[in-house]
């Protein structure tokens, strides 16, 4: 069963609002990171690079949570618990450029928001997260 992101709060996931992604460290303690994201068919897409702590954590334990607060309304938020359903490098560079255009005034990520030389040094990956529980206010 697919859990739907409520239309009333979809704007919080599809940005440009910074979200807090919480993953689990090897000892079970939480680790939170601010990230960019968007969604496709009620699946949340997080883009990161191989080797970062959040990437290691999601690879090892697929349980995550996402929290986004509406910066214009302190009483409006979206909290999502979910599972990583897929991790893929396919299309990840295009996706990070898409997110950079959404979240910044730059034309893309590498060569605009970050140095162009980083593109050849990093391996981008999209983590696709399926919600298992959604709370909203």
């Amino acid at each position: 069963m697919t859990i739907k992101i409520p239309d009333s709060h979809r704007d919080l996931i599809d940005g440009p609002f910074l979200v807090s992604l919480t993953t689990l460290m090897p000892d079970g303690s939480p680790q939170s990171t601010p990230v960019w994201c968007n969604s496709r068919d009620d699946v949340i897409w997080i883009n990161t690079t191989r080797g970062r702590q959040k990437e290691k954590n999601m690879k090892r334990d697929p349980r995550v949570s996402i929290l986004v607060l509406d910066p214009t309304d302190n009483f409006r938020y979206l909290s999502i618990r979910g599972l990583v359903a897929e991790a893929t490098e396919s299309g990840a560079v295009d996706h990070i450029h898409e997110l950079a255009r959404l979240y910044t005034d730059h034309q893309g990520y590498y060569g605009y928001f970050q140095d162009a030389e980083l593109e050849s040094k990093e391996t981008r990956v999209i983590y696709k997260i399926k919600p298992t529980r959604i709370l909203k206010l």
Side-chain angles (χ1 to χ4, degrees):
M1 179 175 141
T2 301
I3 294 181
K4 300 275 187 192
I5 298 167
D7 288 339
S8 62
H9 288 66
R10 182 170 296 281
D11 63 308
L12 296 178
I13 287 297
D14 288 333
F17 301 107
L18 200 58
V19 304
S20 176
L21 170 70
T22 301
T23 60
L24 297 172
M25 296 291 289
D27 67 0
S29 61
Q31 188 253 354
S32 296
T33 308
V35 298
W36 296 343
C37 75
N38 61 4
S39 68
R40 309 269 198 289
D41 299 322
D42 293 298
V43 175
I44 298 147
W45 289 26
I46 302 285
N47 193 305
T48 189
T49 57
R50 293 273 183 218
R52 290 198 179 153
Q53 189 63 54
K54 65 182 163 277
E55 194 266 339
K56 292 176 186 176
N57 290 348
M58 288 187 288
K59 216 167 148 176
R60 188 190 67 263
D61 188 331
R63 296 175 296 165
V64 300
S65 71
I66 294 167
L67 175 66
V68 58
L69 307 170
D70 185 335
T72 64
D73 182 350
N74 291 332
F75 296 102
R76 183 171 176 254
Y77 72 88
L78 187 63
S79 176
I80 299 173
R81 288 184 220 156
L83 294 171
V84 173
E86 181 184 353
T88 183
E89 294 175 14
S90 178
V93 172
D94 290 337
H95 183 244
I96 196 62
H97 284 298
E98 174 187 338
L99 290 174
R101 286 189 296 275
L102 176 65
Y103 280 84
T104 73
D105 60 355
H106 299 288
Q107 295 301 308
Y109 190 76
Y110 296 111
Y112 302 95
F113 183 74
Q114 289 290 342
D115 292 335
E117 66 205 33
L118 277 179
E119 186 171 359
S120 64
K121 296 177 182 178
E122 298 180 329
T123 301
R124 301 294 319 180
V125 60
I126 300 167
Y127 275 84
K128 299 179 182 182
I129 299 164
K130 287 192 175 182
T132 57
R133 180 168 178 150
I134 294 179
L135 301 170
K136 65 179 178 69
L137 181 64

